Amino acid sequence: MPEPVRVAVLGAGVTGLTTAYVLLDQGFNVTLAADHFHDAGVSGDYASLAAGAHWRTWATVQDKDLQAIETISLAQLYTLAQQYPDCGLMRSESLDYWQDKAVADNTLWFRQLAPKFRTLSANELICGTVYGASYETLSIDVARYLAWLQQRCVDKGAAIVKLPAKLDHILDIQKHCPEAQFVVNCTGLGARNLGGVQDLAVFPVRGQWLLAKVPFELPNINVIGQGEMTLIIPRGNGIVFLGGTNEKFSWNEKIDEAQSENILQRCLSVCPQLNTYFKEQGVNSFADIGKVVVKQGIGLRPQRVGGVRVEREETSRGLPIIHNYGHSGYGFQTSWGYAQRVLRLIRQTHRL
Ligand SMILES: Cc1cc2nc3c(=O)[nH]c(=O)nc-3n(C[C@H](O)[C@H](O)[C@H](O)COP(=O)(O)OP(=O)(O)OC[C@H]3O[C@@H](n4cnc5c(N)ncnc54)[C@H](O)[C@@H]3O)c2cc1C
């Protein structure tokens, strides 16, 4: 038997964990290293714990590549949801509303893909929207799913290295994993400042949100327009994510109360059930939100000019890098597709 190929995966967000999982499944020897894992809590350094999250396409009708990636990922997420009911994935209804029909037309490539897809009739539309669709999707309880992914990696034999601080240079990974034959760079926003990468095309897109305790089932609701996107995402654990904002180039990790109030108003205006429930709980103004809202938070989506970077790079020290970063607001719903790309790249270039 040949020795398994040794890989260091740098970054333990959804991208690093999923990449590690796929490589472990193919018999690689994997070390997963990062300065921030899911159990360290929400932070601008770790977008994964700040995500909604659900599968809702970001691909346009023209973007066949992203469509393929999202399709692979959706299929795998469905498989996991079925095989592992406790992994944090839940089937749920999605109601998408558009304020602009042209935007809807440029998005609806997935009518054949999403189960139970149908367009909404005019009397099902909510105020200010001109087009709508209903379909089944998967919602993600991100804390539970990330913990589950990491445990699966450990069960499959991954070594976990919790770094005391960020690496200054990507090749410093050799100090922690001297045997690695290559490194997969899954550092998200960290790729901007990481020595040896310093990709200035990577930038943050700030998203503010609230989490509310809601003891009944709600659909996912997405209102897509020219302004901020309004999002309601049930996580299947009695908690509903309310969003959001999309502020390009903002590193601000402080909660803006005025934004929270605006998010709440938008969410309540598109979901009468939620509005009624909040009133029943005595939430008559923003000052009362403590009766229902359990957390407010910020996440920084790792966006990249030119899209996600998945490619191989040679280095002076002979340790090749496979990059996998820049997943913006779609890191969960593309995670399996891009991890497959990493695998293909390794296999092509190493003839494994
Ligand atoms: C508000 C919000 C809502 C979202 N909703 C969705 C959604 O509904 N669906 C969806 O698919 N996506 C969603 N996303 C996007 C998703 O969260 C991201 O695309 C995804 O989490 C990116 O994961 P990542 O693993 O690439 O990066 P991260 O989760 O940020 O992880 C980066 C990792 O790299 C490590 N790292 C970085 N630099 C270094 C260094 N120098 N040394 C050592 N370690 C380093 C960090 O410690 C961390 O472990 C949302 C994001 C936000 C903020």
Side-chain angles (χ1 to χ4, degrees):
M1 280 276 280
E3 281 280 292
V5 177
R6 292 176 298 278
V7 189
V9 174
L10 184 62
V14 69
T15 307
L17 291 168
T18 312
T19 304
Y21 189 122
V22 166
L23 296 177
L24 287 157
D25 262 357
Q26 297 302 313
F28 291 81
N29 178 320
V30 175
T31 299
L32 184 63
D35 70 320
H36 200 115
F37 283 76
H38 70 91
D39 49 5
V42 174
S43 137
D45 285 342
Y46 192 80
S48 298
L49 206 55
H54 58 185
W55 188 99
R56 199 200 72 80
T57 189
W58 278 58
T60 60
V61 165
Q62 297 79 22
D63 194 344
K64 303 288 180 209
D65 191 60
L66 189 53
Q67 289 175 22
I69 292 285
E70 288 185 338
T71 301
I72 292 169
S73 302
L74 184 63
Q76 178 63 8
L77 291 169
Y78 261 110
T79 302
L80 294 177
Q82 197 171 343
Q83 283 179 354
Y84 306 99
D86 292 331
C87 74
L89 299 170
M90 178 186 76
R91 286 168 175 236
S92 56
E93 183 190 12
S94 193
L95 292 171
D96 291 9
Y97 302 96
W98 284 268
Q99 289 164 329
D100 182 335
K101 174 80 166 63
V103 178
D105 287 340
N106 199 25
T107 312
L108 289 170
W109 63 272
F110 63 98
R111 338 170 143 254
Q112 314 295 339
L113 178 71
K116 302 180 188 166
F117 184 97
R118 70 177 179 89
T119 49
L120 299 179
S121 59
N123 60 10
E124 291 175 289
L125 295 178
I126 56 178
C127 181
T129 63
V130 297
Y131 195 82
S134 160
Y135 54 94
E136 186 186 281
T137 191
L138 286 159
S139 312
I140 306 165
D141 173 353
V142 289
R144 193 182 327 169
Y145 181 62
L146 292 164
W148 179 83
L149 272 179
Q150 188 174 319
Q151 188 55 50
R152 292 289 295 171
C153 288
V154 170
D155 294 345
K156 287 169 188 286
I160 302 290
V161 176
K162 295 197 174 184
L163 300 168
K166 291 210 173 311
L167 294 186
D168 291 331
H169 194 286
I170 189 159
L171 295 182
D172 292 346
I173 190 70
Q174 288 177 310
K175 293 179 196 153
H176 305 275
C177 191
E179 307 283 289
Q181 291 164 273
F182 50 92
V183 55
V184 188
N185 174 19
C186 303
T187 53
L189 207 47
R192 187 179 167 94
N193 293 319
L194 177 61
V197 181
Q198 286 176 322
D199 185 347
L200 297 183
V202 176
F203 64 93
V205 180
R206 179 180 182 276
Q208 188 167 314
W209 41 263
L210 305 94
L211 300 181
K213 251 192 310 190
V214 180
F216 52 87
E217 231 175 88
L218 282 174
N220 287 267
I221 297 179
N222 306 296
V223 184
I224 304 136
Q226 274 97 27
E228 302 288 15
M229 191 156 128
T230 300
L231 299 167
I232 298 178
I233 305 177
R235 286 184 169 172
N237 59 355
I239 296 292
V240 174
F241 173 97
L242 306 173
T245 65
N246 257 310
E247 297 152 80
K248 287 187 175 174
F249 310 110
S250 171
W251 294 90
N252 179 10
E253 288 188 56
K254 272 180 65 181
I255 305 282
D256 178 332
E257 290 271 310
Q259 274 184 341
S260 286
E261 187 167 2
N262 178 272
I263 291 167
L264 197 61
Q265 272 167 7
R266 281 189 276 131
C267 289
L268 295 180
S269 75
V270 301
C271 186
Q273 273 171 287
L274 201 61
N275 196 16
T276 306
Y277 176 68
F278 270 51
K279 290 233 159 68
E280 283 167 4
Q281 299 308 304
V283 180
N284 295 309
S285 75
F286 188 70
D288 304 323
I289 61 164
K291 294 174 177 166
V292 180
V293 170
V294 291
K295 195 176 174 86
Q296 300 178 61
I298 307 288
L300 301 179
R301 301 173 183 91
Q303 191 152 326
R304 180 171 180 272
V305 179
V308 175
R309 183 179 185 199
V310 180
E311 65 180 348
R312 177 182 164 131
E313 186 183 353
E314 301 306 324
T315 66
S316 56
R317 277 197 239 157
L319 179 68
I321 304 171
I322 311 285
H323 297 286
N324 185 12
Y325 64 84
H327 301 75
S328 186
Y330 46 86
F332 284 82
Q333 68 199 45
T334 57
S335 51
W336 294 95
Y338 282 122
Q340 289 294 342
R341 286 265 163 101
V342 169
L343 174 66
R344 202 167 75 196
L345 218 49
I346 293 170
R347 283 210 165 122
Q348 276 169 2
T349 51
H350 286 261
R351 296 200 170 74
L352 295 170

